[in-house]
Amino acid sequence: MYWMYEMGQARSSARAVTDATKILFQNPLNPWSHTEFGNRSAAGCELFERTTRRYGKPEWGLHDH
């Protein structure tokens, strides 16, 4: 199980590259940002970033009695 956790940590560099690519394609000064290719690339990068983000455990407010 530990190797699976380590593989998850390796995603952080991929997430950084993906985030930079998303910013590049969302920049209004970039001519590619006004094309279908640019919009889809930015959307795909955002999808990858959101699905690989680490989320904290929510507080459910359940108490053991």
Side-chain angles (χ1 to χ4, degrees), residues 15 18-19 22 44-53:
R15 287 187 68 226
T18 303
D19 193 39
K22 180 184 79 165
C45 290
E46 186 172 352
L47 178 66
F48 178 79
E49 190 273 327
R50 287 184 180 195
T51 57
T52 57
R53 184 184 303 165

Side-chain angles (χ1 to χ4, degrees), residues 15-64:
R15 287 187 68 226
V17 171
T18 303
D19 193 39
T21 305
K22 180 184 79 165
I23 291 169
L24 175 73
F25 281 115
Q26 288 180 337
N27 186 344
L29 298 177
N30 182 359
W32 285 92
S33 69
H34 304 288
T35 65
E36 186 175 344
F37 174 77
N39 291 333
R40 288 182 183 214
S41 297
C45 290
E46 186 172 352
L47 178 66
F48 178 79
E49 190 273 327
R50 287 184 180 195
T51 57
T52 57
R53 184 184 303 165
R54 290 186 179 245
Y55 295 96
K57 290 185 178 180
E59 291 293 327
W60 295 102
L62 301 176
H63 303 286
D64 227 6

